Amino acid sequence: MNRRATGLGCAALVAMMVAAVPSGAHAAGGNEAEVEAPQAKGGRQDRNLTVETKIQTTVNGAQRSAKTGTLTPANSNWDPPACWYEPAYSPKQIEATVKAIRKMQFFGIGDFVGGIFDSYFKEGHPYKNYNLDKQGEGQFWAATVNEKRKDDPEANSCKRMPFWVDKGETPKEPLAVSPKILAEYAYDELPVPSTDIELAPEGTTKVNLPTWAWLDKAKFKKVSVTASIPGSGLSATTTAEPVSLSIDPGTEDAETYPASGECPIEGGKIGVPRAKGTPADTDPPCGVKYLRSSDGDSYDLRATVTWKISWTSTTGEGGDLPDGRFGADQQVEVEEVQSINR
């Protein structure tokens, strides 16, 4: 049997085999006194060795007590990365992984799969003896999948077997983890506050009378996430800043203020609370006017905040990423009114 051609049944066992290898495992005969940095948890993608990402994130500027959500890119043709390659295995860890696989004697699968990996890592196709002579001089980089996007077709784009990268070098691989990939990963981790807008009048309004809308200024501030890979020196910070509020009344029988339905941020505020004593028919800077009753039901008013996204990194690289949006629905009941008392 050609040991380079494995079946799906074999591939399904690779995950169990790799998962059985302890983090920081050593090859037999190695220096037991030497403590090696733990490797990420192993896994598989089809017939490949993969790892869970070691990327760590730190949130700055978010109110943890508030309800939060994640952004949807305004550009429908763009998404944060679904997979990439990152530092994963030392030579000793690769050797230990393959030897552990060989010990999984289930209908000879251990030797079969181990033979495939030995051909690649040990027998010169393309690596010899797991690169043990380069221990401490670099790492094998392996594919990892963004858990939030594991069902995306793009998650299958990282098909390379683990490949060697000397310490301090940047691999010539477009999907190798980079400051920009870290920034894009952080995009997916940004915790933006729920878009619960304040309305006046609240809950129930009248036909042809403006409803004022605004957002809690204290909640809608900049928020950033820093993503980094420990020990790599790579780090990027992605920042989201609210720029506007979009109002969809939930019916065509309505008018918005302004007419575009986009309420910009002015002076750090989105919209203005209606002051006491303001005449009921005063047009608000941000809001909606319903032209027809909801007939005892309610309209689903949707409020969506647009966030401007930028990033910086430890390498000096940076720039903008596509705007993000996050919205929520609120029910508004609209009643008929016979006259307006001024």
Side-chain angles (χ1 to χ4, degrees):
M1 185 182 294
N2 185 343
R3 60 185 190 177
R4 288 184 180 275
T6 65
L8 291 177
C10 168
L13 290 173
V14 174
M16 294 186 295
M17 294 174 175
V18 176
V21 182
S23 294
H26 296 279
N31 183 355
E32 297 300 327
E34 181 182 352
V35 178
E36 188 171 357
Q39 72 183 58
K41 182 179 178 182
R44 64 95 185 170
Q45 185 184 55
D46 294 331
R47 294 182 290 273
N48 193 5
L49 287 176
T50 63
V51 290
E52 291 185 2
T53 185
K54 289 192 244 180
I55 295 177
Q56 296 180 354
T57 57
T58 303
V59 179
N60 302 295
Q63 292 192 354
R64 297 184 182 276
S65 60
K67 292 186 297 182
T68 60
T70 53
L71 294 170
T72 298
N75 181 351
S76 60
N77 295 319
W78 184 89
D79 278 311
C83 73
W84 57 87
Y85 300 94
E86 65 180 62
Y89 299 95
S90 72
K92 289 183 178 180
Q93 288 167 343
I94 280 289
E95 181 189 35
T97 297
V98 176
K99 288 190 174 183
I101 288 173
R102 281 192 174 278
K103 291 179 181 179
M104 303 289 288
Q105 297 302 321
F106 182 77
F107 294 109
I109 289 295
D111 282 336
F112 178 62
V113 178
I116 295 170
F117 292 142
D118 267 344
S119 175
Y120 183 82
F121 292 110
K122 182 181 180 182
E123 298 170 5
H125 308 286
Y127 302 105
K128 292 184 178 180
N129 198 29
Y130 314 104
N131 271 12
L132 287 173
D133 60 331
K134 293 186 176 182
Q135 180 70 24
E137 298 176 11
Q139 283 185 290
F140 286 97
W141 287 42
T144 186
V145 174
N146 186 341
E147 186 64 22
K148 290 185 177 181
R149 306 193 176 276
K150 60 184 179 181
D151 296 325
D152 290 3
E154 290 78 10
N156 297 314
S157 300
C158 301
K159 297 181 178 180
R160 289 185 64 178
M161 286 277 282
F163 54 91
W164 180 259
V165 179
D166 287 330
K167 184 183 293 185
E169 288 193 1
T170 300
K172 295 179 180 180
E173 162 57 57
L175 291 176
V177 71
S178 63
K180 188 173 183 180
I181 285 180
L182 288 175
E184 293 172 343
Y185 179 86
Y187 187 113
D188 236 3
E189 301 293 315
L190 285 164
V192 295
S194 60
T195 314
D196 296 326
I197 61 175
E198 302 288 337
L199 298 173
E202 182 180 3
T204 301
T205 187
K206 305 295 183 182
V207 171
N208 291 323
L209 288 182
T211 297
W212 292 51
W214 67 94
L215 286 171
D216 183 348
K217 180 181 177 181
K219 285 171 50 178
F220 287 84
K221 297 181 178 180
K222 286 185 181 181
V223 59
S224 65
V225 169
T226 298
S228 60
I229 295 183
S232 71
L234 294 177
S235 177
T237 297
T238 300
T239 301
E241 180 180 4
V243 292
S244 66
L245 168 69
S246 174
I247 294 178
D248 180 351
T251 174
E252 293 182 358
D253 295 313
E255 297 176 356
T256 57
Y257 302 92
S260 64
E262 292 281 340
C263 303
I265 291 184
E266 296 178 346
K269 298 182 294 184
I270 303 179
V272 177
R274 189 175 72 179
K276 290 183 179 180
T278 301
D281 58 351
T282 302
D283 292 347
C286 181
V288 60
K289 179 169 67 176
Y290 288 96
L291 307 178
R292 180 174 295 181
S293 166
S294 56
D295 292 327
D297 200 353
S298 59
Y299 295 120
D300 291 327
L301 183 152
R302 184 163 187 81
T304 303
V305 173
T306 296
W307 298 74
K308 179 179 174 59
I309 313 297
S310 60
W311 67 282
T312 58
S313 70
T314 50
T315 62
E317 299 174 76
D320 294 328
L321 293 174
D323 290 349
R325 292 175 179 160
F326 184 62
D329 291 339
Q330 293 173 238
Q331 293 186 330
V332 178
E333 185 176 355
V334 182
E335 298 177 342
E336 293 282 0
V337 62
Q338 299 303 317
S339 61
I340 299 175
N341 294 323
R342 296 182 182 271

